[in-house]
Amino acid sequence: MAVFIQWQTLMTVSYTGPMAYEIADWRRQINDLYAEIRRMDDVSKAWAHWRVTREALFRDHPMSPLSDAMRRDFGGLSAYDYDPALRFAVDLVPRSGDAITYDLADDGVMMCRPIAKTVGLETHLGGELTAYWIEGYGGGLFLPFKDATSGDETYGGGRYIIDAIKGADLGLDGEGRLILDFNYGYHPSCVLNARYVCPLAPAENTLPVAVRGGERL
């Protein structure tokens, strides 16, 4: 469980030619960003670096989910202020269950199977979360969540805190526990552009409290 892979919301197009190289570069840059964050000791400065770098990619990268018109007027991604109380180190216990099937339109079907449950969030956030494994070659963890801000201050379909393919995770602490920092919770790309199809957070990953950290509407 020590290696987590980031998964980006898929566009409903096929990646060929230069576009394939551009999406590969986008993923590489996000992977590098999280690797830099994991090496930083000051967690608030690390989060600020995440914000600045992510916004630069959204503004300048050819595979930004923003349209050309949106990029011309882009003033940054809305987010809550950093709250150190929303950073946790949690244990994981095995959890089994049926896979969730996501229909991603032109990109086909994605299946995610529950594999673990967090231990350590309920005291602070009123509940625990399920981690999913994206089935298929390579796989990858996927941990979306909703909370009491969903549908009002944040997207109703939830936000992502761990996802697969690009390596956007904060790793483990010195005792082997998974670091979940909700200040890094971010919206799927469909919130910004209707040509994307988003896997949404399942009902069981709904926290009963307002998690005012990470991206907001």
Side-chain angles (χ1 to χ4, degrees), residues 17-166:
M19 183 179 289
Y21 307 139
E22 289 166 354
I23 191 63
D25 181 70
W26 173 278
R27 293 173 178 173
R28 186 182 302 113
Q29 291 200 44
I30 297 293
N31 184 84
D32 291 346
L33 170 60
Y34 276 80
E36 292 169 1
I37 291 168
R38 290 192 293 269
R39 290 193 293 267
M40 297 177 71
D41 294 327
D42 188 317
V43 294
S44 61
K45 288 184 178 179
W47 176 79
H49 178 57
W50 177 76
R51 292 266 294 140
V52 169
T53 305
R54 183 169 160 81
E55 289 189 350
L57 285 168
F58 272 68
R59 183 182 62 247
D60 301 326
H61 198 280
M63 285 309 301
S64 168
L66 301 177
S67 66
D68 290 342
M70 294 171 70
R71 282 198 279 178
R72 284 194 296 269
D73 300 327
F74 183 57
L77 299 166
S78 297
Y80 297 100
D81 292 337
Y82 188 84
D83 183 354
L86 292 177
R87 184 181 176 90
F88 303 94
V90 301
D91 292 311
L92 296 174
V93 295
R95 181 205 183 288
S96 60
D98 295 333
I100 299 173
T101 300
Y102 291 106
D103 184 352
L104 300 179
D106 290 349
D107 284 307
V109 172
M110 184 183 82
M111 298 183 68
C112 295
R113 188 172 299 279
I115 59 167
K117 195 87 170 179
T118 63
V119 178
L121 296 178
E122 186 168 9
T123 300
H124 307 280
L125 301 181
E128 302 293 346
L129 295 174
T130 295
Y132 298 86
W133 186 258
I134 299 172
E135 297 193 331
Y137 180 76
L141 282 184
F142 181 42
L143 206 169
F145 73 97
K146 293 192 286 188
D147 64 278
T149 71
S150 300
D152 182 15
E153 299 173 33
T154 63
Y155 177 51
R159 292 175 285 168
Y160 302 161
I161 191 168
I162 293 178
D163 48 11
I165 294 182
K166 294 196 307 293

